[in-house]
Amino acid sequence: MEQIIVKQPSLPIRIYRFYLDGFRQMTLGKTLWKIIFIKLLIMFGVLKLFFFPDFLATNFTTDKDRADYVIDQITQSVQVTNTLEKGDQL
């Protein structure tokens, strides 16, 4: 009597197939995922336009001015930290 050995797919492939089959069989879940996607689109797309204006574009005219401002802001916190570590006062 011969024994037939069936090789199982690797773990990542089994996990992928598990989720793929689960998403295919969803009915209500598909609608909920659509609602979640629409809410994320509104939160990150629409609200950004109104509450997060492009600060650098409105306050600086050239890329060099923008880059200098960003470098100053980044290094300013490092300079303050180094000064405080040495015991100097502001």
Side-chain angles (χ1 to χ4, degrees):
M1 191 158 111
E2 286 186 35
Q3 185 178 11
I4 299 174
I5 300 174
V6 178
K7 185 178 177 187
Q8 283 192 357
S10 66
L11 182 63
I13 292 174
R14 288 186 298 178
I15 292 171
Y16 173 75
R17 288 180 183 167
F18 173 77
Y19 281 102
L20 183 65
D21 290 339
F23 280 113
R24 281 185 184 154
Q25 295 176 6
M26 274 200 279
T27 54
L28 178 64
K30 288 180 183 178
T31 305
L32 294 175
W33 276 110
K34 288 176 188 174
I35 292 171
I36 290 170
F37 179 73
I38 291 170
K39 287 175 74 173
L40 288 173
L41 181 69
I42 290 170
M43 284 174 29
F44 291 109
V46 175
L47 294 179
K48 182 187 179 303
L49 294 173
F50 296 111
F51 295 107
F52 303 106
D54 193 357
F55 175 77
L56 294 175
T58 56
N59 293 331
F60 302 101
T61 55
T62 65
D63 286 339
K64 184 180 180 340
D65 292 339
R66 293 180 191 113
D68 290 340
Y69 176 77
V70 170
I71 290 293
D72 288 342
Q73 293 301 310
I74 292 172
T75 57
Q76 182 180 19
S77 64
V78 173
Q79 290 170 352
V80 170
T81 303
N82 289 340
T83 303
L84 292 175
E85 286 176 356
K86 292 178 183 176
D88 298 337
Q89 293 189 3
L90 293 175

